Amino acid sequence: MPDDLICPAQEIFDHGAVVTALLAALPEAEDSKAIRALTVKVLTDAKKRGNAAIRDAFKARPLDARPTTRAYTYLADSLVAVTLYVAQNWLHPLSNPTEGERLTLVAVGGYGRAEMAPHSDIDLLFLTPYKITPWAESVIESMLYILWDLRLKVGHSSRTIRDCLTLGREDYTIRTALLEHRYLGGNEPLAAKLKQVLWKDLFRNTASDFIEAKLAERAERHRKQGGQRYVVEPNVKEGKGGLRDLQSLFWIAKYVHRVHDTTELVSVKVFTQEEFDRFDQAESFLWAVRCHLHLITNRAMDQLTFDLQVEVASSMGYTDHSGRRAVEHFMQDYFRHATSVGELTRIFLTALEASHVKRAPSLMRFLRRRKKLKPGYKLVQNRLSITGEKAFLSEKLNILRIFEEALRTGYLIHPDAMRLIAANLDLIDDDMRKDKEAVRIFLDLLLKHGNPERALRRMNELGVLSAFIPDFEPIVAMMQFNMYHHYTVDEHTIQCISVLAQIEREELVEELPVASGILKEGVNRKVLYFALLLHDIGKGRPEDHSIFGARVARRLAPQFGLKPDECDAVEWLVRYHLLMSDMAQKRDIGDPRTIRDFAKAVKTRKRLDLLTVMTVCDIRGVGPTTWNNWKAMLLRRLHAETASALETGYETLNHAARSNEAKRTLREALSDWDKKDLRVETSRHYSPYWQGLQTAQHEIFARLLLGIGDDEIRMDLKPDQDRDATQAAFALADHPGIFSRLAGALALVGANVVDARTYTSKDGFATAVFWIQDAEGHPYEVNRLNRLRSMINKTLKGEVIARDALKDRDKIKKREREFRVPTSITFDNDGSEIYTIIEVDTRDRPGLLYDLTRTMATSNVYIASAVIATYGEQVVDTFYVKDMFGLKFHSEAKQKTLEKRLRDAIRQGAERAQSE
């Protein structure tokens, strides 16, 4: 019996007890149907006991993956062996089999490799010497029925040795499965012959083709999984840096070197012992994750969805500490192992190229950028390598210089050179960090060659970046457990720098005209790049990451040779890198006070320009879909109005002046109107209306209000491509709670409100405009606007009661329920001259805006405007409000009462949304 299992073999499957039970029961069976039923009953009980024993042992030792996968394999082997025994000896006994009636049972694929997760498939090959006989067909059929009755997922094929050769030549998936074959039972000489023939007639002299096929398969698999190692919900089996990548390495090694166990990868000089240890750790970790996933879901689940990440982290013993959740510590380890898998793959493939088994990269890729190498470097397989290890290591700065040489020449660094760097990171000490030449090289990597992200990413993967800037180490592979950030913190930082380099290369002029213009006019590039490199370096600490990061920046900037004024600029940018984004997305930038406060915070045009570019890079670096026209419009408008205020003075923000300018512009737009109608329109609105909306909206409301009756509801729905949203404008007689009813109507049609304004005219009409998106974050298609209009009408007329209709619609998806967002409610009486600003920061869900606005309506709160900023599962709803007398909420008692009511509404809605 094997002794390398997670628990004693006899606890997993007691062969003696099972056979005794069968021998006691089977003689009494009347027919084959009864034999099968008795066998299934005995084996089902054994299977349940075995699974329970493995599960309990794994729960006690949740990181011991290999003994667990071997234990599941042993259980599967035992069930299959007994099934074969019953089929051959009780169901279809054959006293004198002919030569053609030999039958061999072989495990293939992952089962053949003896690596089984709790719900892995059992892949079986029924091998016969010639065409399958009726007896063998009966045995196979009976076995499969028993195994299926045991609720096992069985993949099976019945072939001769010749079939295996023919199919293996045609199909690399079949060839790979045969590479991992393992004898289970039946005629053993036939299994030995299969092994001999496979190596002699199929595997031999075909390594190059097999490798190319496996690498093509790997590339396609990665493409389907998103192509990124840092996918927020990775597939532990098929994703980049996952188990399949490690298995592919072993398949290729087995094919080329004929190794039987991963431990042999060192003896055949594929890996050093240290590299193999990393391979071993990554494989063990990933298998543990996969086993826990299967046990938690009770099925073959390999996708680490958000909700399962939390459960797997708990099962593996991770805990909350250092200001971060257990799941974040777990996913940081996951991504670090995934990165290791990528490095090991690179090393392995280069070794194959060196032995000419794998084709080297095409030289054509490099002809256009071929440059003469500096002394100490050479090309190996069209990659940059070093001429001698001793000379390279004699000067520690060479560890940085090789990255500069790679950027200068355009060559990729040879993995052998990478291995040498990774093995000698201890050379990067305090003396080197303070060395002026080392600092110059690093800053040149950032500033000189036009594509710094390439060097930074490779330096990060090899550990050079954290060794040279130790403060960077904690954020390496750090995952932020939310739906907003698509990348780990280190990868986000590199993505931001990549965006900045793209802007500098003038590749984003159409998409980012303001940022492109700022860089073209000239800014301090050193300040900008260095601030971006450090902007999130404080993540993962209990305190505000901007404050912590600013302290790090203050300490590091002088060490990197920045002048005092540059140090101040970097520190300020890191400290306030979220300021512009918050102002644009969480405040009403139509309110002059918002512009004035922001202008006072940035103080100078130079800082404004630096912060604008940094903000653009930060948002675009979050993920491929985060940046949109809406954010672009807000930032452009905030930049333009703040620049104007800084250059011409704050008097340009005067209420009267802005209102008069807005009226003049509207008169020009409506030049064909009757003068009396135009005079009525320009005199019926209060000052905030003229300041808060653009001329396009003023024109829409003018047409909606023209001749409107007291009982009419008029609306205008149209796509607003500049904002990536549908604009929904309403004009109707004002009454309490109108904003809430409109929000409810929009929630009922599944609309996601991204911004809203509402004003009351002097003659008692409400003018409300909402910018809405569909569930995918896009404007509504034109053919859906009629349904939208119909539902809104029904709700406003009272035919549909939003509160009742929403009860079954505002559920949070199961995979998103584990996200925690603490609720924060603040009252600000300084950010606006005439309104109190209530900011509600909480967990987003369908119907939230309706719940909040309904609560405010019942509390006699008048809502002038709402600004909605969504960050994945987190939302910040900002309301500009007055009380029923038109005054601000100065009273602390009133604030506390309203806050309690809002928190109650959020809690009750959250409970409803979390219910099944």
Side-chain angles (χ1 to χ4, degrees), residues 707-714 731-734 765 793 796-797:
I708 191 172
D710 288 345
D711 57 350
E712 273 191 273
I713 299 171
R714 293 183 180 180
L732 66 164
D734 191 28
F765 286 97
N793 260 321
L796 292 178
K797 289 176 180 177

Side-chain angles (χ1 to χ4, degrees), residues 20 49 173 234 291 375-376 464 469 513 590 627 686 733 786 801 819 875:
T20 300
R49 284 193 300 272
T173 302
C291 287
V464 174
I469 307 175
W627 180 263
Y686 294 104
N786 282 336
I801 307 301
F819 294 113
V875 68

Side-chain angles (χ1 to χ4, degrees), residues 523-573:
V523 294
N524 190 318
R525 297 174 64 245
K526 190 190 294 184
V527 165
L528 199 47
Y529 273 99
F530 202 66
L532 265 182
L533 181 68
L534 301 182
H535 80 282
D536 274 350
I537 207 161
K539 282 276 176 83
R541 272 91 173 182
E543 69 177 296
D544 185 316
H545 79 280
S546 301
I547 296 172
F548 187 95
R551 286 205 303 271
V552 173
R554 165 54 61 189
R555 173 166 46 81
L556 288 181
Q559 293 177 26
F560 280 81
L562 274 69
K563 298 171 186 171
D565 61 324
E566 292 174 329
C567 294
D568 290 341
V570 168
E571 181 183 8
W572 186 87
L573 285 169

Side-chain angles (χ1 to χ4, degrees), residues 456-514:
L456 289 174
R457 187 169 284 113
R458 191 64 74 234
M459 290 169 74
N460 189 37
E461 288 176 355
L462 295 176
V464 174
L465 194 53
S466 331
F468 193 63
I469 307 175
D471 293 280
F472 200 83
E473 201 280 333
I475 64 169
V476 172
M478 179 185 284
M479 178 255 204
Q480 299 169 85
F481 189 66
N482 57 51
M483 290 164 58
Y484 180 62
H485 292 94
H486 292 237
Y487 305 115
T488 52
V489 180
D490 55 334
E491 178 61 19
H492 162 69
T493 300
I494 294 169
Q495 291 280 348
C496 292
I497 288 172
S498 175
V499 173
L500 179 54
Q502 284 179 277
I503 300 171
E504 280 205 298
R505 295 194 297 265
E506 300 187 358
E507 294 173 9
L508 300 173
V509 174
E510 285 189 21
E511 286 183 73
L512 306 174
V514 174

Side-chain angles (χ1 to χ4, degrees), residues 854-909:
R854 184 167 51 82
T855 302
M856 290 187 187
T858 58
S859 302
N860 298 313
V861 177
Y862 167 71
I863 302 170
S865 64
V867 182
I868 289 90
T870 306
Y871 307 90
E873 77 285 357
Q874 179 184 5
V875 68
V876 181
D877 287 348
T878 306
F879 303 95
Y880 284 67
V881 305
K882 295 178 181 178
D883 67 13
M884 62 191 296
F885 304 109
L887 303 173
K888 288 186 177 185
F889 281 81
H890 285 293
S891 162
E892 194 174 325
K894 281 187 178 180
Q895 289 182 12
K896 285 184 177 178
T897 300
L898 182 54
E899 179 179 350
K900 183 181 183 305
R901 289 175 182 171
L902 290 171
R903 286 185 179 275
D904 287 344
I906 291 167
R907 179 181 49 76
Q908 289 163 12

